[in-house]
Amino acid sequence: GVVDKKGKNGSVFISGRVQQAVPDLQSDWAQVKGKDPKSINWKKTTIDRNEFAKLMDEGFSADEIDGLFRLYDPNHDGSITWTEYICVISLILDGSLEDKIKLIFNCFDSDSNGSLDMEEFKDAAKRFSTSTDAVDVLAEKVFKACDLNGDGQVTYSEFVAWQMTSP
């Protein structure tokens, strides 16, 4: 996928579309950091949740910012590196369906244990709806459809199988 293709120097290969956007993205990042883009070590720079919120459109709620932050922070370490940021943007713009499913799964897997339990499923579903009761019912229904072996956990392969067979 887009994320795991590395160049000789460890840099991530990104599409032409994303490469064209990099100067603007770096400028925005530097502004949030309060630094000149030329002074930033792009291999080591990170942003926290509050800095990330400043990068996002003002129309997002705090819950939406939290959900997006988790999307951009795949290892759930509480910070986003420049590489993670660019990888997610690349994936969204040019990633395969499987790459996008993996990104979503990792975002939902809040404890990073490689599977989703019912609480993680409900938490993920609540990010996309304002009606808590309807979300819980829908999440339970979808969870049961995904949990092919009935063990109370949805693995990545079960999640992919469900994604590929659901409209």
Side-chain angles (χ1 to χ4, degrees), residues 76-94:
H76 307 295
D77 68 354
S79 65
I80 299 170
T81 66
W82 173 252
T83 301
E84 287 171 332
Y85 186 67
I86 289 298
C87 284
V88 170
I89 290 171
S90 293
L91 221 135
I92 290 168
L93 292 176
D94 296 314

Side-chain angles (χ1 to χ4, degrees), residues 57-149:
D57 181 38
E58 292 178 13
F60 288 112
S61 70
D63 287 343
E64 289 168 328
I65 293 291
D66 288 342
L68 285 168
F69 185 82
R70 286 181 45 184
L71 182 72
Y72 281 83
D73 181 25
N75 61 359
H76 307 295
D77 68 354
S79 65
I80 299 170
T81 66
W82 173 252
T83 301
E84 287 171 332
Y85 186 67
I86 289 298
C87 284
V88 170
I89 290 171
S90 293
L91 221 135
I92 290 168
L93 292 176
D94 296 314
S96 68
L97 177 59
E98 187 175 346
D99 288 338
K100 291 174 184 174
I101 291 170
K102 181 75 170 172
L103 179 69
I104 291 167
F105 182 86
N106 287 339
C107 178
F108 292 172
D109 185 15
S110 58
D111 61 8
S112 301
N113 70 350
S115 64
L116 307 176
D117 60 29
M118 181 63 80
E119 284 308 306
E120 288 171 316
F121 227 79
K122 286 181 180 179
D123 288 346
K126 287 174 185 168
R127 290 186 217 152
F128 301 103
S129 176
T130 53
S131 170
T132 307
D133 294 336
V135 166
D136 284 348
V137 171
L138 178 63
E140 287 174 20
K141 182 179 174 185
V142 173
F143 185 86
K144 286 178 184 171
C146 287
D147 185 14
L148 300 176
N149 64 3

Side-chain angles (χ1 to χ4, degrees), residues 3-87:
V3 175
D4 49 16
K5 292 179 181 170
K6 302 280 184 183
K8 290 179 186 170
N9 62 0
S11 61
V12 176
F13 288 124
I14 53 178
S15 72
R17 213 168 21 159
V18 177
Q19 283 178 338
Q20 289 173 352
V22 164
D24 289 337
L25 295 170
Q26 285 180 328
S27 176
D28 293 345
W29 183 285
Q31 186 175 1
V32 164
K33 297 299 285 180
K35 295 183 176 183
D36 183 288
K38 293 181 179 98
S39 72
I40 293 177
N41 180 340
W42 294 102
K43 291 183 179 180
K44 294 186 178 183
T45 186
T46 63
I47 55 172
D48 62 22
R49 190 241 175 249
N50 292 332
E51 291 169 319
F52 177 76
K54 293 175 187 173
L55 276 178
M56 297 293 103
D57 181 38
E58 292 178 13
F60 288 112
S61 70
D63 287 343
E64 289 168 328
I65 293 291
D66 288 342
L68 285 168
F69 185 82
R70 286 181 45 184
L71 182 72
Y72 281 83
D73 181 25
N75 61 359
H76 307 295
D77 68 354
S79 65
I80 299 170
T81 66
W82 173 252
T83 301
E84 287 171 332
Y85 186 67
I86 289 298
C87 284

